[in-house]
Amino acid sequence: MSQLITYLQAFAELFYPRICLVCNEKLIATEKHLCLTCLLHLPRTNYHEQAENKLEELFYGRIQIHRASAYFEFKKGSSYQKVLHHLKYRGQKELGEFMGNRFAEEIKQADWIRKADLLCPVPLHPKKERKRGYNQSFHIAKGMAQSLQIPISRQDLIRKKFSSTQTRKARYERWENVSEIFELKNPAVFEGKHVILIDDVVTTGSTLEACAQTILNKCQCQISVLTLAIA
């Protein structure tokens, strides 16, 4: 049966070839979403190895963050921006799991990662999640959990107010847009834990700051941050 499926997949690819999201070259059988060359040349930050890195500095004077890292850097118009676009707007939740898993495999030996207790994806408002069909941050966390063997908290931090998109907003406008829109339903789950907030991309950090503040207002715990990308 598995051989038949392999033949059918190969036949389908004659008409609908799988292509790399970054360079548009045809993927070989062992590649998923990105070709090996584009994955190799991903502009990694390696922030997980650097204390007081650019992402951690983003939160200085705003919120107490233990550690923070992003998988890669991107600029507007970069080929790697396509990864985020397909994840967020093209329904490719499997891409989120793939990238989350690849990221986790590269950082899993970092001491602060190994000491984490809980992964918490940044929640979407139920209305937005129904419209999109999924929460991309959850699927990133799901891929990371498979590698790190750290449980995910999905229902304890919720988004209680619907907010407009952050795109094209200035830093203060972004903060106003997300201030006091999150709620911690079950603080006991976070009490005394090292919690890692998971998101797809960080620009000003306003959403992650609001999530962290909501958690820290209700319990004593340690907050770190992991995102796929930093703009």
Side-chain angles (χ1 to χ4, degrees):
M1 186 65 176
S2 61
Q3 191 174 27
L4 175 61
I5 293 173
T6 301
Y7 285 144
L8 290 174
Q9 288 174 337
F11 181 75
E13 286 187 21
L14 291 174
F15 302 96
Y16 303 101
R18 299 180 308 119
I19 61 172
C20 173
L21 295 178
V22 176
C23 68
N24 295 322
E25 292 293 324
K26 185 178 178 181
L27 296 175
I28 62 175
T30 56
E31 294 173 335
K32 290 184 178 181
H33 306 294
L34 276 70
C35 69
L36 185 59
T37 300
C38 288
L39 195 58
L40 183 65
H41 290 95
L42 188 78
R44 291 165 173 78
T45 70
N46 293 315
Y47 287 165
H48 63 286
E49 299 174 343
Q50 309 165 25
E52 301 181 2
N53 59 58
K54 178 181 174 182
L55 181 51
E56 291 177 8
E57 290 175 354
L58 187 65
F59 298 102
Y60 285 179
R62 299 165 61 183
I63 193 73
Q64 184 65 46
I65 295 296
H66 174 57
R67 292 298 305 271
S69 184
Y71 194 11
F72 64 94
E73 288 187 279
F74 85 95
K75 296 180 180 178
K76 190 174 182 180
S78 160
S79 297
Y80 288 94
Q81 188 175 4
K82 296 176 187 176
V83 175
L84 299 172
H85 183 81
H86 279 260
L87 170 60
K88 201 165 184 174
Y89 302 113
R90 295 289 184 88
Q92 294 196 22
K93 54 189 178 184
E94 295 84 3
L95 172 62
E97 294 175 23
F98 171 78
M99 294 299 290
N101 187 264
R102 292 296 86 210
F103 186 20
E105 282 295 309
E106 295 186 22
I107 66 174
K108 65 192 299 182
Q109 296 306 319
D111 186 60
W112 64 278
I113 297 291
R114 289 190 290 109
K115 292 180 179 178
D117 300 299
L118 205 59
L119 303 179
C120 181
V122 171
L124 290 178
H125 188 275
K127 180 180 177 181
K128 184 173 286 187
E129 187 165 347
R130 283 194 299 271
K131 182 178 180 181
R132 184 171 294 169
Y134 61 100
N135 176 0
Q136 70 276 7
S137 295
F138 167 72
H139 287 281
I140 295 167
K142 185 177 178 181
M144 299 193 79
Q146 291 168 0
S147 172
L148 301 177
Q149 297 298 298
I150 299 173
I152 299 173
S153 166
R154 191 179 186 185
Q155 304 295 336
D156 301 297
L157 180 68
I158 65 167
R159 199 165 190 142
K160 62 181 181 179
K161 295 181 182 178
F162 184 83
S163 60
S164 57
T165 179
Q166 297 281 70
T167 307
R168 300 189 182 90
K169 283 185 168 63
R171 178 168 171 171
Y172 181 70
E173 290 177 306
R174 285 174 181 251
W175 166 246
E176 281 192 312
N177 197 44
V178 297
S179 180
E180 298 182 354
I181 68 170
F182 297 103
E183 179 182 353
L184 190 60
K185 299 282 286 186
N186 192 358
V189 173
F190 292 77
E191 187 65 38
K193 302 289 180 59
H194 177 193
V195 181
I196 300 183
L197 290 172
I198 309 293
D199 208 359
D200 55 349
V201 59
V202 58
T203 304
T204 66
S206 296
T207 300
L208 287 160
E209 179 186 353
C211 285
Q213 190 63 68
T214 299
I215 296 169
L216 293 173
N217 283 344
K218 290 289 186 72
C219 61
Q220 294 289 323
C221 64
Q222 199 171 52
I223 302 289
S224 292
V225 166
L226 289 174
T227 68
L228 275 191
I230 180 171

